[in-house]
Amino acid sequence: MKVPPPTFSTTPYGDVDTAKLGSLIEEYNTEDLLLQVERLESFMRRFRPIKGIRDDFLRLHRMTHTVVNGAPLCEPHKEDLWELAETLVEELQSAARTCNEIAAVIQPLADLAPHLED
């Protein structure tokens, strides 16, 4: 009985799919991971705790609470409610695109998961 060769390789960081590892060795640029760190840094600045997107959400809530629920005015008028909401929507959509692009760079590494037979 002929035993087929294993479809996985053992590395210092676990077993990986041999064929996919071969492709990565030929095609994957590990520097792309470092570039993603830089992209994360610039985009994460906006998610800082003070004067970041969280504060804008709280301001949007206060404005919406006044307009929708009739709560007393508690936020000075700097911009229209819809303008702040539109800005946040655009910013979150941009962040989602950035996250998806970063995930696409990482996906080939996740695809290394071996398919071990029982």
Side-chain angles (χ1 to χ4, degrees):
M1 177 168 153
K2 187 174 180 185
V3 177
T7 60
F8 66 93
S9 298
T10 300
T11 76
Y13 298 106
D15 294 340
V16 298
D17 182 288
T18 300
K20 290 181 180 173
L21 177 60
S23 294
L24 280 183
I25 289 171
E26 295 293 320
E27 301 168 8
Y28 195 80
N29 183 354
T30 59
E31 300 241 342
D32 286 345
L33 287 172
L34 294 177
L35 293 174
Q36 302 320 303
V37 171
E38 292 302 317
R39 290 181 74 191
L40 275 174
E41 285 292 324
S42 65
F43 134 133
M44 290 303 292
R45 281 186 214 116
R46 183 67 178 112
F47 290 88
R48 65 186 181 265
I50 299 171
K51 295 187 179 181
I53 201 166
R54 180 182 182 278
D55 287 345
D56 289 344
F57 264 92
L58 291 172
R59 189 167 86 248
L60 181 64
H61 172 264
R62 290 188 296 270
M63 293 166 69
T64 303
H65 190 46
T66 297
V67 171
V68 173
N69 298 332
L73 184 66
C74 61
E75 183 70 34
H77 183 268
K78 296 179 187 173
E79 61 194 321
D80 290 342
L81 181 138
W82 67 266
E83 289 175 315
L84 177 56
E86 187 175 70
T87 298
L88 285 169
V89 166
E90 289 170 2
E91 191 167 0
L92 289 169
Q93 288 173 339
S94 175
R97 280 189 299 276
T98 299
C99 286
N100 285 331
E101 291 164 2
I102 291 170
V105 172
I106 297 169
Q107 186 62 54
L109 301 173
D111 292 342
L112 286 173
H115 302 287
L116 304 174
E117 306 278 327
D118 288 332

